[in-house]
Amino acid sequence: PPPFGAPNANTPPFGGAPPSNSGPFPPQPATSAAPFGNAPVSSASPFGMAPPSSNAGPPRPSDNTPVAAPPSNQPPFSAPSPRGGFNPVQPGQVPPQSRPPFGGPQRPPQNQGLFQPPSSSPAETFGGGPPMRPPVQPPTSLSAPNQPPNSYSPGLQGIHNGAPNTQGPPSAQGPPMFNGPGMGPPSSMGPPSSMGPPSFMSQPPSMGPPSMGPPMGGPPQMGGPPSMGGPPQMGGPPSMGGPPQMGGPPPMGGPPPMGPPSSAGPPPSVGPPPTMNGPPLSRGYPGPSAGPRRPYPSNYGVGAPPSLAPPGMPPAGPPGATPPARHPVAPAIANPGASLPGQLPTGTQPPTGQQPQQRNRIDPDLMPNPLDVQKADQSQYEDKHWMTSTPGVPPLVTTNTPLIDKGNCSPRFVRSAFYSIPATKELANQINMPISFSVQPCAQLGPAEAGLATVDMTVLGGPLRCRRCKAYINPNVKFVDGGRKFICNLCNVDTEVPPEYFCNLDHTGRRADTDERPELSRGSYEFLTTTDYCKGSRPPQAPAYIFVIDVTYASFQSGMVQALTSNIAAVLKNLPRENPDSSSPVRVGFITYNTQLHFYNLNPNLTQPAMMVQPDMSEVFVPVVDGFLVTVDEAQAHLKTLMELIPSLHGAEKKAESILLPAIQAGCAALKAANRPGKVIMFHSGLPTAAGPGQLKNREDKKLLNTDKEATLLVPADPLYEKVARECVDAGVAVDMFLFPHSYVDLATIGKIPGATGGTVQRYPMFRADTDGERFIQDLAMHISQPCLFDAVLRMRTSAGLRPVEFCGSFMMQNATDVEVSVLTPKTCVTIEVKHDDKLSEEFNAYVQVALLYTSISGVRKLRLHNLALPVTTSLADIYKSCDVDSISNYLTKEFGKALIANHSYKTLKEQLLARVSNSLACYRQNCAAPSQPGQLILPETLKLLPLYAHCLLRSPALMPSVEVGFDEKVNLLQRLSMMSVDQTELFLYPRLYNLNTSTLGNEGLPPVIRSSYDRIRESGAHLVDNGLVLIMWVGANTPSKWLQEVFGVTVLDQVDPTVGNLQPFDNATSIRVREIIDEVRASRQQHLRLNVVRQKDKGEHKFMQFLVEDKTEQGMNYTDFLCSIHREIRSILS
């Protein structure tokens, strides 16, 4: 049957799909459209189910709780290696000795530490045990009595999961676990709820000699947790006699001595240095040897259930047996202890009259951060490539490596949140994270990656499809009956193969021509289509761009009209084209408006351009067809004259009011009459207050900012704008807006049309042509030069048992399955969540097929397909090790913004997000992690950045309540969030911070990126922060005069102009290099970002500070405290 049915009078777009499933996109019951084209939120709790009230943990500490800084000579912990082990502490720092928990060996001087062997542990552990105290006698042995050397005992830092270690006992491979006060299991002091808020601080050294009181924590009681107060039950400190023997094992399975290696042999493999250049983090799992692999070690302790053990791992032996060496677990970093804040545990009180020392905070260098993870992943694939057939998680979105299509589509096109799909709905709910797919259907491929092949099946009447579910032929179908039929991989129904497509099978059941056919060997490919796939069964034509210019008094006063008309001829040279050697097929037209519409005839047969005026706005029509849309070559005869005519005709009118909606309708009608898809590019200055359709009133009320009624101003005020948006989508017309406001323009209403059609909104508040004109013209040139796909319809098909339910992005849906968008750019991303409607079988893969029907820049109707096959599992461990945190963060960010517009309060959404993150991490700890102390925070390796991204999301200016962000700015940020790709979301959540000091500039490329925290910047230099939307240069108070002279042309910081917008060129190496860095950042963002200069201690410094996402804000915690709060939530859930 025809894919969209036979055309008739009642045919919907694309030739009409009858109510049956005969078309490629069978219609489903229509749902109400959410803002920006998103599907409605399916439940009142968009971030999943919060933990039961009975599991509520202790109250979170106040965000303003002061935390003492650690003494400079005693960092609480060593730095982690890229694989989860320890890096050495800084040499030359000798802190007071202290005893690890439960009677472990003493803490040695920090300049004698051992490296932990390289680890690719799937968990990062944060935590500790009871308070530390200098022991009376150092330990003398390395193994605990009646305990396997590799068991996860208190004080033991690592569990090795690899090959047996021949260099020494496994217990000697991990450094000691440094603990804070009261970090062990709950004691007799009271239930967990009475233990007070957690504290990520280390216990200060004792204020008296060892004989002043009993030590805190001897050997643990065999029948329960050790007592938290008073002397230990099993005696005092373990006086094992004599000084420590450097080659012996420690008592109680404690950590190894940190002194120099003994003569018995060198220590096990030494870990990487603190530069984090060691082996990359593990994010994959074992599979075939095709392409580079990330080994996936486990952190399961001795005696873990066989179902949770990694593949090939032998079961735990009886007590006393020596199990094989295991990969070390990541270091215990933090410990939210059981004692009250500021209270010293019993036995460690200082003498009377002596003040206790400040407790140490956790070292921020030990916290997981994207920079180290990305650097490790890049080193993993340096000078290599990744095959899409390789099982496991693909390289990160920031990793620069070729991705070779081997039957699965590239992750550039479709990126999954999980690369092992849960078999049941219950298992998916237990993880409490969305099974989502970030679909970027026309993403730009890398330079070493082959383009998509085009298949012509027009002789068969169109692409070959399943007769039941209408899925298209793909590499995962199975040919049977000698090649005369194929079985669909999505619905398992057989379909006959046309005689023209028949080919014999070999002895394995594989077609002999598989390698020659892209649709049978590639994950992504394209089909040429027939007229059945076209609207009205008419072949489309090449697209057109219509420039609609506001010529009111405000537009002339700001200089917008003059800047545009004087540069439009140069801008039009950047129109997209499929063949670089040929001219662009895109046609152009021009309309101006104030309270009337002005159309311009550019027919080359005329002696000069002609203008036609339409004063009636109640019923818009196009007065001219022939000559209105012309090619750039045809327009050259009159273009210069027209651009000179527009300012002279309308500059003297000085009309203050303007229309807007009729101008959009006029552009859409012109394209529809010409049967062309395309863009209506608006240049608008103010609120449309003129009489006519779409007239708006100023409804801005700043008193509603940061209140429950704020959401009422985030939705359109006039439903007519949504109606026009639907008309534009039906006609295949996208609307882009370049706004130049000097006040409120109600972007929530007028921005509905760009948001629903796939267009973009660029804002230039308080525009001045002398300072912002260059940025505006550069943005316009980049914008129209982007390769685009027009008049697109996207549908995702999945295996039986799965179905798409939630859609996030900039589009419109007129039924439950089809995503309609007028234009797609390489960065356009649609995020789709799927859910179970039946149980999946582990014997078969789960399949996803994304079909995109579109019109190319040359006017050819094509069908693009992306196919993805993923394994199905019932193992929680396999699911957690297959997570892609970047894709998960992309969905959570879009879902948060979507729910915020749907009138959900920020406070409610914040609680739901925290509950979702905490429940997911608690599920991992309860079901997958090795046994450990309650005071340790254990994070799965693949999700160790999830708390950080959640923290960054909650403090985003686009989402966080603030009286400084106006309604228009907030709506614009939310619209941009809905369109962001995975890499854009990652950059938006964690901005890049560059050091611009002369010593770090280098000769080419971007300078090194540093952590996004105020502690990382120096007053003696300048820094650049970039989040993809904002570019800020911060200049320190002590920046050398020479640097200021070379870059700004001044010698004193007070003389630097914060409103410069761009750097003036100076003929010196520093100026040239800094401008090269800024230009490279702008080029990578495909936007000419305005350079905002901020001087240290100026009033505007807080704008720079809000992008330092690891720091504390006025309304929230810093990253370390946020991780503590997540830890408390996890402990509350588990208790």
Side-chain angles (χ1 to χ4, degrees):
F4 285 94
N8 53 56
N10 298 323
T11 297
F14 308 114
S20 65
N21 292 335
S22 60
F25 304 132
Q28 301 294 333
T31 58
S32 58
F36 308 125
N38 299 336
V41 180
S42 59
S43 65
S45 178
F47 290 100
M49 183 172 58
S53 58
S54 59
N55 291 338
R60 300 188 183 94
S62 171
D63 295 341
N64 299 320
T65 303
V67 182
S72 59
N73 65 342
Q74 185 181 359
F77 313 106
S78 309
S81 74
R83 286 185 174 267
F86 270 130
N87 280 332
V89 296
Q90 297 296 326
Q93 296 180 354
V94 184
Q97 294 182 346
S98 58
R99 179 198 292 176
F102 303 105
Q106 73 175 26
R107 180 180 181 182
Q110 291 186 343
N111 60 353
Q112 298 179 4
L114 295 177
F115 294 105
Q116 182 161 334
S119 164
S120 50
S121 167
E124 292 281 356
T125 61
F126 301 91
M132 298 181 293
R133 177 179 173 82
V136 176
Q137 193 74 22
T140 58
S141 62
L142 272 174
S143 63
N146 302 324
Q147 188 173 15
N150 289 346
S151 63
Y152 201 104
S153 60
L156 181 63
Q157 187 56 104
I159 302 177
H160 293 270
N161 225 359
N165 184 8
T166 59
Q167 299 182 5
S171 61
Q173 298 188 15
M177 178 170 60
F178 303 104
N179 306 285
M183 301 302 289
S187 70
S188 58
M189 293 177 64
S193 60
S194 64
M195 292 161 57
S199 171
F200 271 60
M201 306 177 188
S202 297
Q203 175 64 34
S206 174
M207 304 305 295
S211 60
M212 289 183 64
M216 276 303 297
Q221 298 181 7
M222 304 308 293
S227 172
M228 296 297 294
Q233 298 295 326
M234 297 185 64
S239 177
M240 306 306 294
Q245 300 177 9
M246 302 308 295
M252 301 304 297
M258 298 297 289
S262 69
S263 59
S269 57
V270 176
T275 56
M276 306 301 288
N277 286 327
L281 300 162
S282 169
R283 296 172 62 251
Y285 56 87
S289 58
R293 300 296 305 121
R294 296 192 187 99
Y296 183 80
S298 176
N299 68 332
Y300 306 110
V302 175
S307 61
L308 296 181
M313 184 59 60
T322 303
R326 298 176 181 268
H327 291 279
V329 178
I333 297 181
N335 197 338
S339 58
L340 295 176
Q343 174 182 340
L344 290 176
T346 306
T348 61
Q349 298 292 342
T352 304
Q354 188 170 2
Q355 297 295 328
Q357 297 184 11
Q358 290 182 333
R359 297 186 297 174
N360 295 339
R361 289 191 60 194
I362 182 173
D363 186 355
D365 288 336
L366 304 182
M367 314 302 290
N369 69 90
L371 304 186
D372 294 338
V373 174
Q374 292 166 8
K375 185 176 182 180
D377 197 71
Q378 181 63 55
S379 64
Q380 168 80 357
Y381 294 99
E382 196 71 38
D383 300 326
K384 298 178 182 178
H385 58 265
W386 186 80
M387 302 287 187
T388 61
S389 58
T390 305
V393 183
L396 295 173
V397 292
T398 56
T399 299
N400 184 18
T401 186
L403 307 176
I404 310 302
D405 189 338
K406 290 296 182 181
N408 260 357
C409 71
S410 168
R412 301 190 196 277
F413 295 122
V414 181
R415 197 170 190 96
S416 176
F418 295 92
Y419 282 85
S420 289
I421 303 299
T424 64
K425 178 180 180 180
E426 293 73 21
L427 197 62
N429 292 339
Q430 197 171 355
I431 301 170
N432 212 0
M433 281 292 150
I435 305 175
S436 62
F437 297 89
S438 298
V439 181
Q440 203 171 334
C442 51
Q444 188 172 1
L445 294 171
E449 299 168 6
L452 301 188
T454 301
V455 181
D456 187 359
M457 287 191 177
T458 55
V459 296
L460 304 179
L464 190 58
R465 310 176 66 184
C466 172
R467 63 184 175 90
R468 180 187 178 188
C469 68
K470 303 304 177 183
Y472 296 90
I473 190 77
N474 63 81
N476 301 304
V477 302
K478 181 180 180 181
F479 287 89
V480 295
D481 195 13
R484 287 181 286 272
K485 294 182 179 180
F486 70 88
I487 299 178
C488 176
N489 57 305
L490 298 183
C491 65
N492 296 321
V493 172
D494 62 344
T495 302
E496 292 187 2
V497 175
E500 299 86 351
Y501 195 72
F502 174 79
C503 181
N504 292 318
L505 308 182
D506 61 14
H507 65 284
T508 63
R510 187 171 180 263
R511 280 177 60 117
D513 62 348
T514 297
D515 294 334
E516 288 76 30
R517 290 193 173 273
E519 72 273 17
L520 301 180
S521 58
R522 300 280 188 90
S524 299
Y525 45 89
E526 293 185 330
F527 286 113
L528 294 177
T529 63
T530 62
T531 55
D532 294 329
Y533 290 80
C534 303
K535 292 182 178 180
S537 296
R538 293 188 304 170
Q541 299 189 46
Y545 289 178
I546 299 180
F547 297 85
V548 186
I549 307 171
D550 178 1
V551 290
T552 57
Y553 179 73
S555 299
F556 282 99
Q557 282 295 101
S558 66
M560 181 271 287
V561 176
Q562 296 89 328
L564 178 61
T565 55
S566 60
N567 291 279
I568 191 66
V571 168
L572 292 179
K573 296 179 181 179
N574 296 281
L575 288 173
R577 62 198 71 188
E578 287 188 339
N579 186 356
D581 299 329
S582 62
S583 60
S584 174
V586 177
R587 292 178 175 258
V588 296
F590 295 91
I591 299 175
T592 59
Y593 67 97
N594 39 43
T595 58
Q596 300 174 337
L597 291 174
H598 318 114
F599 297 83
Y600 298 92
N601 190 339
L602 298 179
N603 192 320
N605 297 326
L606 299 177
T607 58
Q608 64 179 4
M611 181 181 75
M612 283 148 284
V613 179
Q614 185 178 89
D616 185 8
M617 300 295 102
S618 60
E619 187 175 350
V620 176
F621 65 94
V622 182
V624 57
V625 176
D626 186 23
F628 178 69
L629 296 176
V630 296
T631 64
V632 175
D633 295 336
E634 295 173 344
Q636 291 299 327
H638 300 309
L639 187 60
K640 181 178 179 181
T641 304
L642 176 62
M643 294 301 110
E644 294 174 352
L645 184 65
I646 289 176
S648 62
L649 283 176
H650 306 289
E653 294 179 358
K654 297 184 179 181
K655 291 187 178 181
E657 293 184 334
S658 73
I659 58 173
L660 177 64
L661 195 62
I664 297 175
Q665 290 176 309
C668 179
L671 291 173
K672 187 175 182 180
N675 190 30
R676 294 179 184 272
K679 292 183 177 183
V680 174
I681 305 176
M682 306 291 301
F683 303 91
H684 187 72
S685 293
L687 188 69
T689 57
Q695 180 183 11
L696 297 177
K697 297 180 180 180
N698 191 338
R699 56 174 181 153
E700 183 183 26
D701 186 357
K702 295 185 178 180
K703 296 180 181 178
L704 299 182
L705 285 170
N706 200 10
T707 66
D708 295 338
K709 296 183 179 181
E710 181 183 41
T712 60
L713 297 183
L714 302 180
V715 294
D718 189 347
L720 185 58
Y721 281 84
E722 186 172 351
K723 179 183 177 182
V724 173
R726 189 178 301 275
E727 294 174 357
C728 291
V729 171
D730 291 340
V733 177
V735 178
D736 296 326
M737 287 188 177
F738 288 79
L739 301 178
F740 309 87
H742 285 257
S743 59
Y744 176 72
V745 295
D746 199 354
L747 188 56
T749 301
I750 67 176
K752 176 64 180 179
I753 300 178
T757 59
T760 59
V761 176
Q762 294 278 9
R763 293 178 69 248
Y764 304 89
M766 309 304 294
F767 177 83
R768 289 169 45 197
D770 55 343
T771 57
D772 302 316
E774 179 186 359
R775 178 167 65 105
F776 161 51
I777 297 302
Q778 291 286 349
D779 282 345
L780 180 60
M782 292 182 187
H783 178 74
I784 69 171
S785 66
Q786 283 186 327
C788 299
L789 307 182
F790 298 90
D791 196 9
V793 179
L794 181 144
R795 170 178 285 194
M796 172 181 282
R797 292 181 172 88
T798 56
S799 299
L802 296 174
R803 59 185 176 89
V805 292
E806 294 290 337
F807 300 82
C808 297
S810 181
F811 52 80
M812 179 167 285
M813 296 187 69
Q814 303 190 49
N815 55 51
T817 58
D818 294 348
V819 173
E820 300 181 42
V821 58
S822 298
V823 65
L824 289 170
T825 68
K827 288 295 184 180
T828 302
C829 179
V830 178
T831 307
I832 305 174
E833 181 185 7
V834 302
K835 290 186 178 181
H836 291 75
D837 55 14
D838 201 356
K839 183 179 180 180
L840 303 178
S841 173
E842 287 188 272
E843 299 178 1
F844 305 99
N845 287 335
Y847 298 100
V848 172
Q849 184 179 82
V850 176
L852 178 72
L853 184 64
Y854 71 93
T855 300
S856 69
I857 198 71
S858 58
V860 179
R861 198 68 170 163
K862 292 184 179 182
L863 180 70
R864 179 173 293 191
L865 296 172
H866 301 297
N867 300 277
L868 187 62
L870 300 172
V872 177
T873 182
T874 57
S875 169
L876 280 172
D878 289 342
I879 297 173
Y880 274 103
K881 67 187 177 185
S882 70
C883 296
D884 186 280
V885 69
D886 291 332
S887 184
I888 292 175
S889 301
N890 177 263
Y891 181 81
L892 293 179
T893 300
K894 293 184 177 183
E895 187 183 40
F896 198 107
K898 174 181 171 181
L900 196 65
I901 296 175
N903 207 12
H904 289 78
S905 69
Y906 173 84
K907 181 179 180 181
T908 301
L909 295 177
K910 176 181 178 180
E911 293 173 353
Q912 292 170 354
L913 177 61
L914 294 178
R916 191 169 202 169
V917 172
S918 301
N919 276 280
S920 181
L921 298 179
C923 174
Y924 173 82
R925 174 158 188 165
Q926 187 173 28
N927 298 282
C928 305
S932 61
Q933 301 176 38
Q936 290 178 315
L937 172 60
I938 300 179
L939 302 174
E941 177 65 23
T942 55
L943 293 180
K944 68 180 182 180
L945 295 180
L946 183 61
L948 173 60
Y949 286 149
H951 167 68
C952 297
L953 173 62
L954 292 175
R955 58 165 291 158
S956 168
L959 305 175
M960 187 174 60
S962 173
V963 296
E964 297 183 359
V965 180
F967 290 106
D968 285 343
E969 182 180 359
K970 189 160 193 172
V971 170
N972 189 28
L973 289 172
L974 290 173
Q975 285 184 343
R976 286 175 173 266
L977 280 180
S978 69
M979 302 173 60
M980 282 185 176
S981 58
V982 177
D983 59 323
Q984 289 176 324
T985 305
E986 188 274 333
L987 176 64
F988 178 81
L989 293 178
Y990 196 90
R992 301 291 182 266
L993 183 62
Y994 304 97
N995 190 341
L996 297 183
N997 293 338
T998 306
S999 59
T1000 61
L1001 289 179
N1003 297 322
E1004 60 181 10
L1006 295 174
V1009 184
I1010 60 179
R1011 297 275 291 275
S1012 186
S1013 172
Y1014 199 85
D1015 294 336
R1016 310 287 172 166
I1017 63 179
R1018 298 292 178 264
E1019 296 184 357
S1020 58
H1023 296 77
L1024 187 71
V1025 66
D1026 161 43
N1027 76 336
L1029 303 178
V1030 178
L1031 191 64
I1032 300 178
M1033 178 186 290
W1034 179 89
V1035 185
N1038 298 328
T1039 303
S1041 299
K1042 180 182 179 182
W1043 195 95
L1044 295 175
Q1045 178 67 42
E1046 292 176 339
V1047 177
F1048 292 102
V1050 298
T1051 57
V1052 181
L1053 180 61
D1054 293 340
Q1055 298 175 351
V1056 175
D1057 184 7
T1059 64
V1060 62
N1062 211 348
L1063 294 180
Q1064 296 182 4
F1066 294 102
D1067 190 15
N1068 61 76
T1070 303
S1071 174
I1072 295 173
R1073 183 72 185 104
V1074 171
R1075 285 184 285 111
E1076 286 178 350
I1077 293 172
I1078 294 174
D1079 291 340
E1080 185 170 349
V1081 170
R1082 287 169 171 167
S1084 63
R1085 308 299 172 236
Q1086 297 183 344
Q1087 182 180 352
H1088 194 84
L1089 299 174
R1090 185 182 192 277
L1091 180 64
N1092 300 277
V1093 178
V1094 173
R1095 299 174 300 194
Q1096 187 180 10
K1097 299 179 182 179
D1098 272 3
K1099 293 182 180 179
E1101 190 179 17
H1102 69 280
K1103 296 181 180 179
F1104 171 78
M1105 302 285 289
Q1106 69 182 358
F1107 297 104
L1108 304 181
V1109 292
E1110 293 192 24
D1111 293 340
K1112 178 181 174 60
T1113 63
E1114 294 181 0
Q1115 303 180 17
M1117 300 173 280
N1118 61 21
Y1119 173 35
T1120 304
D1121 295 337
F1122 181 83
L1123 200 57
C1124 294
S1125 68
I1126 291 292
H1127 189 194
R1128 288 193 297 271
E1129 293 291 340
I1130 294 174
R1131 295 184 66 182
S1132 175
I1133 294 170
L1134 295 180
S1135 63

